[in-house]
Amino acid sequence: MKHTAFKTNPISLEELLRYCGTGKIQLPDFQRSWVWDEDRIKSLIASISQAFPVGALMTLEMKSGAADTFARRLVQGVPPEAAGQAPEQLLLDGQQRMTSLYQTCMRREVVETITPRLKLVKRWFYINIQAALQPDTDREEAIIGVPEDRIIKSDFDRKVVLDLSTPELEYEKLMFPLNQAFEWDAWQEGFGDYWIAKGDIGKREIFKAFKNEVLQSFKGYQVPVIALAPETSHAAVCLVFEKVNTGGKPLDAFELVTAMYAAQGFRLRDDWLGADGQPGMQHRLQVFGRAADQKFGVLEKVASTDVLQAISLLHTAKLREDAVAAGKKDNDLPAVRATRQSLLDIPLSAYEEYRTAVEEGFKTAAKLLRQHHVFRVNDLPYQGQLVPLAAILAKIGDKWQHAAAKQKLARWYWCGIFGELYGSSSESRFAKDILEVPAWIDGGPEPSTVREGVFRAERLRFMRTRQSAAYKGVHALLMGEGAIDFRSGQAFGQTIFFDENVDIHHIFPQDWCRKKGHDVRVFDTIINKTPLGYRTNRTIGGAAPSDYLAKLEAGGKDAQAIAPVTLDDYLRTHAVDPALLRADAFDAFMADRETRLLALISAATGHKISRGGAAPEEGEDVIENALEANLGTTASAEMESA
């Protein structure tokens, strides 16, 4: 019989807040900071004061000796000495509510919060006694926030609107300080003495009514608490946290692993982001991935979870190898994984064992990408393919420098791109890659990615934007095959690439194609595009190919004349037939260049590509059009222009 993994019971608000204050309730370190603004705090207070429900809390019970499963921290505003208390529960859902109530109702210090316009402010919170007793008044209007000096002013601070800077002024204005909502005896006594001295004992009856109708709501308030059993797994805790925090940013595995490692004395976040003036791995990778002083390099978007995935691949692959060496049969072998769950299962010892090799793996990946003419993050065909590439390079070490190994890595890389194999969830492919590619480099059979990475010939006719990995692949492949700029006669090495601001441009210009009535779905494909420098593209303009070629040959103020035979040689490096281009023979050019590009792809992948001329899969062309209208999803506009 399976037992329920949680229990639900109501607990008084006062008891919960006191547990927070003593450290019996703490926060797991993966919880984000308190961020509620002044208006949300007032709304919460108003609900409590009327005994309205404000939702359940969710906690994780801590059994004895297990408090260090996660790193934890105190609720914001709790006295620091409470950190010495081993928590009995970790608060998974309800941090914003409990922190707001603790700071406003239990502390004797000013609350640091923000306005709805995100301006940092310090506030004391009061309840207007008379307004709170009016049945037709919105309770939120009775909750008042005042500045740190307890004086509200107007007219550029020249006029005092409300002064509560002394207890006597609080008594006079009938404004009850919320931080005494659970212990009001001393304030009530001072209030009574003040009005007795004033000869107005009737005010005491007003407070009595306020106490019974409002303050007792705080004192008697019960909060439903869902308590997860202490045996709840890390993965389940993470999942539950995300389910109950749907309004916030999703929690990723890195944050949960950070909390678990911190409990063992290791600061994973500092290792990634840096600390004490020393750069972390993220910064080191970003800087290494940049070339020619570019702002965003090819490793710019490597995430902390990418690093953990690469480590998980290496760790689980080693566990499997050890099991094989121990004689275990296939059914008993541990799985090689890079799933979310596998990241949560990485022991600190494995992270420390593989982290340096994985960092070097990503850096070596950047070197290989540059060799294949991928210099910018927005030209990277598949961000996800970096994970198995880094893991493979970490595993094989210096073998990557051998010519035969480089050739195999290149073929695996291009097969992944032109086979379009890394476009969705690819964890199972990552697992195959880390087992199969190193073995292939050592003389084993071809890996699955190579066998399955066959390009569909008809895809060339429907690739029009950078949203297609194969589109980016053709761009890089042409440069890698020695494409030479039409105007400058320079190959697109790293320096020229950035000096000339090289990008993908049309061979038959768009304006010319439109004037001739050619279909945009044809002339805007990768078949009619090639890498060119910015100034070369400006020279081409919207002219017919025969005209701009003549212009290039003639030279001018800023360019030397080019002999026709030399220019023809330049064109051939772009898989272009010079005769067809000079004749402005658009249809013949498109058919011929499609054949030439397919030959390049075939050579890169090692697969024969059959040309059936089939139409794309249903909806494929529609998808390309939709993606074209949303180019910003791959990289920010700033990255696109970097």
Side-chain angles (χ1 to χ4, degrees):
M1 178 179 176
K2 188 173 182 179
H3 297 285
T4 304
F6 64 90
K7 59 185 179 182
T8 305
N9 59 296
I11 301 177
S12 77
L13 175 61
E14 181 178 11
E15 183 178 4
L16 288 169
L17 293 175
R18 295 196 186 282
Y19 280 176
C20 290
T22 60
K24 288 185 177 181
I25 292 179
Q26 297 186 28
L27 301 173
D29 198 43
F30 54 77
Q31 280 267 31
R32 296 179 179 90
S33 300
W34 179 59
V35 293
W36 269 22
D37 62 49
E38 186 176 359
D39 285 357
R40 294 185 74 181
I41 294 172
K42 291 178 181 178
S43 179
L44 176 65
I45 294 168
S47 295
I48 298 291
S49 72
Q50 298 172 93
F52 290 170
V54 295
L57 303 183
M58 182 172 290
T59 66
L60 173 66
E61 292 184 332
M62 295 280 97
K63 59 185 176 182
S64 178
D68 288 336
T69 302
F70 296 103
R72 76 268 183 183
R73 68 176 191 274
L74 298 173
V75 170
Q76 191 170 325
V78 168
E81 55 268 23
Q85 166 75 45
E88 296 177 1
Q89 299 179 78
L90 295 181
L91 186 59
L92 299 180
D93 184 34
Q95 178 202 177
Q96 305 297 328
R97 287 168 286 163
M98 295 303 290
T99 304
S100 298
L101 291 169
Y102 183 83
Q103 295 214 17
T104 56
C105 298
M106 302 294 284
R107 294 172 79 224
R108 297 295 188 263
E109 298 176 33
V110 70
V111 178
E112 296 184 4
T113 183
I114 55 175
T115 67
R117 294 186 177 182
L118 305 182
K119 179 183 177 182
L120 294 173
V121 292
K122 294 183 178 181
R123 293 286 186 260
W124 299 99
F125 289 89
Y126 285 82
I127 302 180
N128 184 322
I129 294 174
Q130 289 183 309
L133 292 174
Q134 297 298 320
D136 57 347
T137 299
D138 187 336
R139 183 59 59 86
E140 284 192 40
E141 295 179 5
I143 312 301
I144 308 296
V146 303
E148 188 174 16
D149 62 2
R150 301 180 194 258
I151 302 174
I152 298 177
K153 300 176 183 178
S154 65
D155 193 20
F156 300 100
D157 289 344
R158 288 193 288 259
K159 182 179 179 181
V160 174
V161 176
L162 181 64
D163 187 350
L164 302 174
S165 57
T166 67
E168 289 73 23
L169 289 169
E170 295 173 351
Y171 306 149
E172 178 188 342
K173 306 296 184 183
L174 274 69
M175 300 292 290
F176 180 78
L178 193 67
N179 61 9
Q180 298 184 53
F182 293 101
E183 295 181 348
W184 60 74
D185 288 349
W187 195 90
Q188 180 181 8
E189 185 176 341
F191 178 87
D193 291 345
Y194 176 84
W195 288 109
I196 289 172
K198 290 284 187 180
D200 189 353
I201 60 175
K203 291 292 193 301
R204 298 171 66 190
E205 293 302 313
I206 292 177
F207 185 81
K208 182 178 179 181
F210 172 74
K211 180 174 65 175
N212 291 335
E213 294 183 27
V214 178
L215 293 185
Q216 287 295 349
S217 294
F218 286 88
K219 200 74 172 175
Y221 197 92
Q222 299 285 307
V223 182
V225 178
I226 302 169
L228 302 183
E231 296 80 14
T232 306
S233 69
H234 297 154
V237 170
C238 184
L239 179 62
V240 167
F241 181 84
E242 289 191 1
K243 294 296 184 184
V244 299
N245 283 274
T246 55
K249 178 184 174 185
L251 183 73
D252 64 33
F254 178 80
E255 294 170 285
L256 191 58
V257 175
T258 295
M260 292 188 291
Y261 286 178
Q264 301 174 60
F266 185 85
R267 301 185 66 83
L268 180 61
R269 189 175 287 111
D270 290 351
D271 199 48
W272 175 244
L273 296 176
D276 301 325
Q278 298 299 313
M281 188 190 301
Q282 181 186 47
H283 179 75
R284 294 194 298 270
L285 291 178
Q286 289 175 340
V287 170
F288 191 90
R290 295 169 189 164
D293 297 323
Q294 65 182 137
K295 189 172 183 180
F296 298 108
V298 74
L299 298 181
E300 203 69 30
K301 296 175 76 174
V302 172
S304 55
T305 47
D306 294 335
V307 171
L308 290 180
Q309 277 193 304
I311 290 174
S312 178
L313 289 172
L314 292 168
H315 171 58
T316 54
K318 182 62 165 60
L319 294 179
R320 186 180 181 89
E321 290 168 4
D322 290 346
V324 170
K328 290 190 176 181
K329 297 183 178 179
D330 288 350
N331 291 340
D332 297 325
L333 295 177
V336 177
R337 301 180 300 159
T339 61
R340 179 189 183 86
Q341 175 60 52
S342 72
L343 306 194
L344 305 181
D345 292 338
I346 300 172
L348 176 57
S349 59
Y351 177 84
E352 292 177 321
E353 179 180 356
Y354 294 112
R355 62 167 303 287
T356 299
V358 165
E359 179 176 349
E360 291 305 311
F362 277 104
K363 290 179 177 178
T364 303
K367 295 178 184 178
L368 285 174
L369 289 170
R370 290 177 189 136
Q371 291 175 14
H372 290 297
H373 290 75
V374 178
F375 302 118
R376 303 177 302 190
V377 68
N378 58 312
D379 288 329
L380 184 63
Y382 283 123
Q383 181 71 31
Q385 197 176 7
L386 280 178
V387 171
L389 178 56
I392 290 165
L393 292 168
K395 187 174 179 64
I396 67 175
D398 291 340
K399 290 180 183 178
W400 77 273
Q401 298 179 13
H402 303 163
K406 278 189 177 182
Q407 289 173 359
K408 288 183 175 180
L409 286 170
R411 189 178 172 208
W412 167 83
Y413 177 70
W414 293 121
C415 283
I417 292 168
F418 290 111
E420 299 184 285
L421 300 177
Y422 294 89
S424 57
S425 181
S426 304
E427 288 88 353
S428 60
R429 184 163 299 281
F430 294 175
K432 292 179 181 178
D433 286 337
I434 192 61
L435 292 175
E436 296 173 353
V437 177
W440 181 44
I441 289 172
D442 286 338
E446 285 185 352
S448 305
T449 296
V450 171
R451 294 196 305 272
E452 297 166 9
V454 180
F455 184 66
R456 292 180 295 142
E458 66 273 13
R459 281 289 287 134
L460 277 181
R461 303 177 190 177
F462 301 93
M463 298 186 324
R464 297 199 297 274
T465 75
R466 277 193 175 90
Q467 295 295 330
S468 166
Y471 177 100
K472 299 179 185 181
V474 170
H475 177 53
L477 196 58
L478 282 165
M479 290 188 289
E481 289 296 316
I484 293 173
D485 188 71
F486 295 176
R487 182 190 59 84
S488 68
Q490 295 176 302
F492 299 121
Q494 179 174 296
T495 302
I496 300 302
F497 181 88
F498 290 104
D499 285 350
E500 297 295 326
N501 196 12
V502 175
D503 210 337
I504 307 173
H505 295 292
H506 293 80
I507 300 171
F508 277 80
Q510 297 182 75
D511 288 348
W512 183 88
C513 290
R514 289 192 179 98
K515 289 175 183 176
K516 294 296 183 180
H518 294 297
D519 191 338
V520 65
R521 293 174 298 178
V522 177
F523 74 71
D524 202 34
T525 65
I526 192 65
I527 300 172
N528 186 38
K529 294 178 182 177
T530 204
L532 293 171
Y534 171 77
R535 286 185 290 177
T536 303
N537 189 55
R538 289 290 299 270
T539 300
I540 289 173
S546 57
D547 291 337
Y548 74 66
L549 292 176
K551 185 177 179 181
L552 288 169
E553 290 169 356
K557 181 179 178 181
D558 299 322
Q560 293 182 343
I562 305 173
V565 66
T566 301
L567 185 54
D568 285 352
D569 288 340
Y570 296 168
L571 295 174
R572 292 188 185 95
T573 65
H574 290 259
V576 168
D577 183 334
L580 296 176
L581 195 61
R582 290 182 180 280
D584 299 333
F586 178 78
D587 292 333
F589 164 84
M590 293 293 286
D592 178 76
R593 193 161 193 261
E594 180 180 4
T595 299
R596 293 171 185 266
L597 291 180
L598 289 175
L600 284 179
I601 295 170
S602 178
T605 61
H607 291 296
K608 182 178 179 180
I609 302 175
S610 60
R611 295 183 57 182
E617 292 180 0
E618 184 178 354
E620 192 170 81
D621 194 39
V622 175
I623 292 170
E624 283 285 350
N625 286 329
L627 290 173
E628 185 175 3
N630 293 279
L631 284 174
T633 58
T634 294
S636 69
E638 186 176 12
M639 285 188 177
E640 287 285 354
S641 62

